[in-house]
Structure formats: C-alpha cells, structure tokens
Amino acid sequence: MEILLIDDDKIVRDAVSFSLRAEGYSVTTAGDGIEALEILQSKKINLIISDILMPNLSGLGLLSILKRFYFDKVPVILISALDKGEVILSAMGLGASDYLFKPLNINELLQRIRKILPARS
C-alpha cells in the first residue's frame, strides 16, 4: 500500500514516514499541496495523510481539489494542530476520511490507517 504524506514540516514528514515504513507501508512525501498534486498525477496512491496549514496549497484546498476533480476514491486523513470545530467540520464536509490532532500519536495514526485501508497481503 502506498501512502502519500504531505506536511511542510520536514521533521514531521521524516518521523511519520519512518514509522509508517517500519510498519511495512510504502511512503512518498511532499512538502505542500502543489507538490502532492504533481505526485498524484504520476503515482498510484492508496491513502493520503495531509497537514492542513501549509504554504502554496493548504490541506483543505488540496482536499477540495482531490474530491472535486481527481481522486474522490482515495481516502484522506487530515492532521493539524488546529482544534477548532469549524475546521474539523469543513474537513469532514469536504470528504476527509478522518482527522487527527498534532502532536501525532503514531499508534493512533496506525490504528486509523488500518481501519481505512484493506488488509495488506
């Protein structure tokens, strides 16, 4: 299973991708939504994990584009330090599969991924 991890914080990208790879997932990373769209045009992705607050194209902006034009069947987990109810409602209204708060609990993230993705062979 291929996961696309999008976060403008390189430390977060490195730490989360390391943990996901240790669990057997293939991980591609991007620093913002624009870079993610470029990757999505050339690579089959099974799950997207995206930060909300990023330069160039936010996680909500990316989700809106994905759900409207491209990959409406690719599940998206949004992550953010924002804990405002309206942001969560917007994310879910745009079609996010789940929403997690930062700092991430990697075990909770893995549990949510397992619920969304079918069993790996």
Side-chain angles (χ1 to χ4, degrees):
M1 293 286 160
E2 185 72 31
I3 296 175
L4 175 58
L5 174 64
I6 312 157
D7 199 305
D8 59 324
D9 185 331
K10 184 174 177 359
I11 294 171
V12 171
R13 282 195 319 266
D14 290 348
V16 174
S17 63
F18 177 83
S19 296
L20 294 174
R21 287 183 181 113
E23 290 293 317
Y25 294 103
S26 296
V27 181
T28 301
T29 62
D32 63 38
I34 300 294
E35 186 180 350
L37 286 174
E38 292 170 4
I39 291 167
L40 286 164
Q41 291 178 5
S42 63
K43 195 167 200 172
K44 179 167 176 19
I45 300 296
N46 302 101
L47 173 68
I48 297 168
I49 300 170
S50 178
D51 188 15
I52 288 183
L53 294 178
M54 297 181 292
N56 302 320
L57 181 60
S58 73
L60 291 177
L62 174 65
L63 181 61
S64 180
I65 290 169
L66 293 176
K67 296 300 178 180
R68 194 175 317 157
F69 298 109
Y70 293 105
F71 307 97
D72 63 339
K73 296 195 183 348
V74 177
V76 177
I77 297 174
L78 289 177
I79 57 175
S80 183
L82 296 173
D83 63 356
K84 296 181 179 172
E86 64 270 10
V87 175
I88 297 168
L89 287 174
S90 292
M92 301 311 276
L94 287 169
S97 301
D98 212 333
Y99 187 100
L100 289 169
F101 297 106
K102 288 182 177 179
L104 285 176
N105 175 320
I106 196 65
N107 291 324
E108 183 177 0
L109 177 60
L110 290 168
Q111 183 179 40
R112 306 273 181 106
I113 291 170
R114 288 183 196 112
K115 280 184 173 179
I116 293 171
L117 291 178
R120 298 184 308 276
S121 53

